[in-house]
Amino acid sequence: MMTNRASAPARTAPLHRARDTALMAGLLLLVVAGLGALAAATGWAETRAQMMRLGLAQIGVLLALSLVNYLMRGLRWHLFARRLGLPANLWRDLRHFLGGLVMSVTPGRVGEMVRIRWLRRETGMPLERCAPLFLMDRAADLVAMAVILAAAIALSTSGIAGAAPVAAIAFATAILATRARLLGALATLAYRTLGRWPRLFGRLRGIARMLGQAGRSGAIAGAVALGVAGWLAEGYAFYLLLAWLGAETGFWTATAIFVFATLAGGLTGAPGGLGGAEAAMIALLTLEGLPPETSIAATAIIRVTTLWFAIAVGAAVFPFAERLAGRTRHAMEDL
């Protein structure tokens, strides 16, 4: 009986992977179809001509700046792991963070929780010790992007309608997700209301306690700074891209458009912000006076060199992270 139960996850895992792959492929096709329809409406030749203005060296620069973002956020993941008292290992934490990027297109990016599974397998730590790492990382990302957006709005020569509410929502979400007392009180209230699953709500209260410990550790400022540096690198990449395509857009305006579109796409709930981010970016670039072929070309290129490059990096690292986590788990079980 135990063998059958143990083999059940192994049988269902390929089904889940196939479902997720099909979902991601379907969403990608929809986005490509939408961009293709816009390009056709404005003229394929013009859009293609804009894309062909970039050389391999320029594409390399865009990818390198995206990689800076991933590494900065990976260092932030390592910082939070140390502050939570988890066994410190920089290369392991970077491997987990980069491998989890392949899950960026899951709804709400919850697929990135695979990092917590790897961490538990390799350290033997309980869920309530590891789970706050994911919450703190997501919250720090929202704060960093909100800080950049607020600064960009203040320093940009042109305003973006709706940017201030989006920044405020990002701040509020981050604060609510990391308020230890609030999460603990909600867990207690839910248990008293339902009167069931004491182990689950006990774990949630344990996670809330760990969040409080991390919040008192002084790691938040450093984590936000790493996130700001990372996302500014991608904002600068977007600024360079627009300049290479012949658009006279200031750095802060380009950064505001990129960050706003990324946050707005995330608020739609679509995996990876697909569809929403592209629509917001094209609309904002068009409002800045860019011709449609430039807006479409810039949006398509920056999404490939940020989101889809992240997925490619994650896909390359994921098998190694999965294999090493499984090997470590078996070694611990043999002790």
Side-chain angles (χ1 to χ4, degrees), residues 194-290:
L194 298 174
R196 303 173 63 185
W197 305 305
R199 185 177 179 183
L200 170 63
F201 291 115
R203 280 190 165 184
L204 290 176
R205 285 192 292 268
I207 290 172
R209 285 193 295 270
M210 289 301 298
L211 278 173
Q213 179 179 323
R216 293 192 300 270
S217 67
I220 302 299
V224 170
L226 287 170
V228 167
W231 286 108
L232 278 179
E234 291 201 343
Y236 182 61
F238 192 50
Y239 163 71
L240 287 178
L241 171 61
L242 292 174
W244 291 334
L245 294 180
E248 296 181 1
T249 305
F251 167 72
W252 287 111
T253 299
T255 300
I257 291 173
F258 175 79
V259 174
F260 175 84
T262 303
L263 281 172
L267 290 176
T268 65
L274 288 172
E278 289 82 4
M281 197 171 293
I282 291 172
L284 291 173
L285 289 173
T286 303
L287 288 174
E288 281 297 309
L290 273 66

Side-chain angles (χ1 to χ4, degrees), residues 20-21 29 101 113 153 155 159 175 193 213 215 221 233 235 283 333:
D20 294 341
T21 301
L29 287 174
L101 289 174
M113 281 287 287
I153 293 171
L155 298 172
I175 291 172
T193 302
Q213 179 179 323
E333 289 174 349

